[in-house]
């Protein structure tokens, strides 16, 4: 059996066409089903439905052979025990520092002010500001990061931005980029060694399916 760890919502939505193209369509709609283990049209391949930030843990530990995870989640996790063979080019966004409009971020950094930063990406945020030589107090949040600067909980946030609508709606502005983000196919390192004959064809299929997407998206622009 090959298990593919995947999260509902954004990642599942954007991965669905790829799953169809590699012939592992789920037997039932994961968004409607309460099942956490869902068979697919390909015998011996199933989906396991986990939280987005848990995907690297399942795959890194070998509880799933394959998984689909955002680059943000992978970077924060650190990637122990897994390879990232295919950038799927989906669920694209950017990880950014954002502040209230009117907050002079550049001046605060220049003056060596101690910044309070709210984020779910504590590890990445610490590394980013350490590299800049900026002292920060990190505030771990699990969601709705945008509220933190509005309520005085933090001076800035580190969060994902795609259209920019959420920032605009809350009178926040992006002031710095940490990294571009897209979803990747990941594979357990040990499983790839011992079961390459089973896993490599599926990895290759995802790679070609992801190739098909890129020109299609470019053409729509
Ligand atoms: O919900 P749960 O806690 O289980 O996990 P999650 O919130 O991380 O899951 P989900 O499904 O929301 O996101 C899964 C993955 O999608 C992330 O790990 C990213 O790799 C990817 N992704 C791509 C995004 C976005 N774009 C995105 N825009 N994830 C979240 N957002 C949020 C962002 O945090 C902000 O609140 O959307 C808002 C901004 O969007 P715009 O369009 O207004 O800029
Ligand atoms: Mg979410």
């Amino acid at each position: 059996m090959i298990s593919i760890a995947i999260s509902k919502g954004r990642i599942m939505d954007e991965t669905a066409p790829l799953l169809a193209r590699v012939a592992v369509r789920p037997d039932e709609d994961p968004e409607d089903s309460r099942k956490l283990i869902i068979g697919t049209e390909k015998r011996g391949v199933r989906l396991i439905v986990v939280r987005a930030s848990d995907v690297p843990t399942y795959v890194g530990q070998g509880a799933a052979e394959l998984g689909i995870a955002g680059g943000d989640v992978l970077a924060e996790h650190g990637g122990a025990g897994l390879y990232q063979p295919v950038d799927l080019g989906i669920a694209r966004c950017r990880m950014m520092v954002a502040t209230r409009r009117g907050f002079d971020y550049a001046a605060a950094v220049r003056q060596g002010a101690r910044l309070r930063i709210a984020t779910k990406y504590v590890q990445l945020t610490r590394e980013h500001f350490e590299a800049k030589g900026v002292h920060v107090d990190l505030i771990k949040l699990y969601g709705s990061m945008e509220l933190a600067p509005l309520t005085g909980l933090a001076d800035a946030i580190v969060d994902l931005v795609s259209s920019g609508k959420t920032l605009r709606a809350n009178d926040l502005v992006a002031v710095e980029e940490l990294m571009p983000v897209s979803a990747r196919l990941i594979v357990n390192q040990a499983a790839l060694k011992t079961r390459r004959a089973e896993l490599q064809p599926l990895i290759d299929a995802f790679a070609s399916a992801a190739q098909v997407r890129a020109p299609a998206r470019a053409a729509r622009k």
Side-chain angles (χ1 to χ4, degrees):
M1 180 63 67
I2 296 174
S3 297
I4 305 176
I6 187 166
S7 57
K8 287 199 210 184
R10 208 182 296 263
I11 298 273
M12 181 70 79
D13 291 349
E14 297 207 24
T15 307
L18 292 177
L19 294 179
R21 220 170 280 136
V22 302
V24 292
R25 273 184 215 90
D27 293 339
E28 45 192 299
D29 183 352
E31 300 295 340
D32 296 340
S33 176
R34 302 210 171 189
K35 281 193 185 171
L36 299 175
I37 299 180
I38 300 178
T40 74
E41 64 188 305
K42 198 188 292 278
R43 193 134 59 93
V45 179
R46 63 184 189 179
L47 302 186
I48 65 169
V49 180
V50 305
R51 287 292 288 265
S53 41
D54 291 336
V55 170
T57 305
Y58 274 85
V59 177
Q61 301 281 333
E65 288 73 26
L66 298 172
I68 293 163
D72 52 326
V73 161
L74 288 166
E76 181 71 12
H77 170 269
L82 51 87
Y83 296 121
Q84 307 181 19
V86 186
D87 185 341
L88 298 171
I90 56 172
R92 283 175 185 280
C93 57
R94 295 182 297 157
M95 191 180 292
M96 310 282 297
V97 180
T99 66
R100 288 180 82 156
R101 188 182 305 284
F103 180 86
D104 195 342
Y105 175 73
V109 167
R110 222 175 21 245
Q111 291 158 10
R114 194 171 182 98
L115 292 174
R116 292 167 305 148
I117 315 278
T119 187
K120 136 171 138 176
Y121 306 100
V122 171
Q123 202 56 38
L124 290 171
T125 300
R126 181 178 295 118
E127 287 164 16
H128 176 73
F129 286 101
E130 249 170 40
K132 285 169 66 80
V134 173
H135 293 287
V136 292
D137 292 318
L138 295 174
I139 301 164
K140 165 89 185 181
L141 290 180
Y142 294 88
S144 301
M145 262 71 77
E146 294 85 0
L147 258 180
L150 303 180
T151 54
L153 180 65
D155 301 308
I157 58 173
V158 168
D159 194 13
L160 305 176
V161 180
S162 40
S163 68
K165 281 185 191 160
T166 306
L167 291 184
R168 268 199 302 283
N170 292 291
D171 220 20
L172 302 173
V173 286
V175 292
E176 192 166 81
E177 175 167 336
L178 279 78
M179 59 175 185
V181 168
S182 57
R184 322 240 179 93
L185 179 72
I186 59 177
V187 57
N188 177 265
Q189 288 178 350
L192 187 61
K193 259 197 212 103
T194 56
R195 299 173 62 188
R196 190 181 278 273
E198 282 169 89
L199 293 174
Q200 193 65 52
L202 205 45
I203 294 170
D204 294 343
F206 271 103
S208 355
Q211 285 299 317
V212 175
R213 276 187 75 87
R217 192 175 42 241
R220 241 183 288 138
K221 279 211 177 123

